Amino acid sequence: LRKSRRIPTGRPSPTAKGTPLALGSDGEQLLYDTTELEVSSGELVTLTFQNNSTAVQHNWVLVDGGTAIADEINALALEVSADLRDASQALPPPDTAGLLVSSPMLDPGGSITFSFNAPTEPGTYLYLCTFPAHYQAGMFGELIVTE
Ligand SMILES: [Cu+2]
C-alpha cells in the first residue's frame, strides 16, 4: 500500500473551479446512480454528490486502489460507527492510509459540492459509501483516471 497522498477531504468549496462531476444515490436503492466517472490525471475536479434517498444517509469516499483497500476502509468506518453506536458516524478517520477523499455523511435529500485533485497516477480507483452495509449492497463505483 502506497502512502496516502494528502488531498483535502470533503470540504465544501463552492467557488472552486474545476471539471464538474455529479452523481447521486439511486433513489431509494443502496446504489449510486453513476458507477463510472472519468477524469484526467491530476486535474482539479468539482464534484456534486446528491443524496436522492428520502430515508437513508449516504456518503462518497474515494480510495487509492480497488476492492482490497475499499474493503479495508469500509471495515474501519464500520468499527468507528460500532464504537460510537451511531451509523451516521461510519466514516474512515481522515488520516487513514489509502483514503483519498471523504465526503461527510449526507442526510436524505442532502447534497454537497467539493473540489479535489484527481490522483496523478492513471488507473482505476474505487469510490464507495461507508454507511453500514451499503458497500456490501453494491454502493460503489469506479473513478477512471486517464493520462
Ligand atoms: Cu449509502
Side-chain angles (χ1 to χ4, degrees):
L1 192 66
R2 277 168 291 145
K3 191 171 176 351
S4 178
R5 286 183 288 269
R6 302 301 299 177
I7 294 176
T9 56
R11 281 194 216 102
S13 0
T15 58
K17 300 209 189 317
T19 302
L21 287 182
L23 85 163
S25 62
D26 189 0
E28 301 304 332
Q29 304 199 73
L30 304 181
L31 299 170
Y32 290 114
D33 62 6
T34 304
T35 54
E36 197 176 296
L37 297 169
E38 195 175 304
V39 297
S40 298
S41 162
E43 78 171 322
L44 181 66
V45 173
T46 298
L47 183 138
T48 297
F49 173 52
Q50 168 81 41
N51 182 353
N52 294 308
S53 171
T54 60
V56 294
Q57 295 182 311
H58 294 297
N59 69 346
W60 189 86
V61 172
L62 179 67
V63 304
D64 193 10
T67 306
I69 184 65
D71 288 356
E72 236 176 77
I73 284 178
N74 187 62
L76 273 176
L78 193 61
E79 272 176 38
V80 172
S81 74
D83 286 349
L84 299 172
R85 300 184 181 197
D86 182 352
S88 69
Q89 297 299 314
L91 300 163
D95 60 349
T96 300
L99 175 65
L100 296 181
V101 181
S102 179
S103 86
M105 198 62 77
L106 294 190
D107 286 334
S111 78
I112 189 170
T113 298
F114 57 93
S115 298
F116 62 95
N117 283 94
T120 51
E121 198 173 309
T124 299
Y125 297 76
L126 270 189
Y127 56 83
L128 67 148
C129 175
T130 57
F131 193 94
H134 290 194
Y135 171 58
Q136 289 89 339
M139 195 160 185
F140 59 87
E142 293 181 339
L143 180 81
I144 315 286
V145 177
T146 59
E147 289 198 26

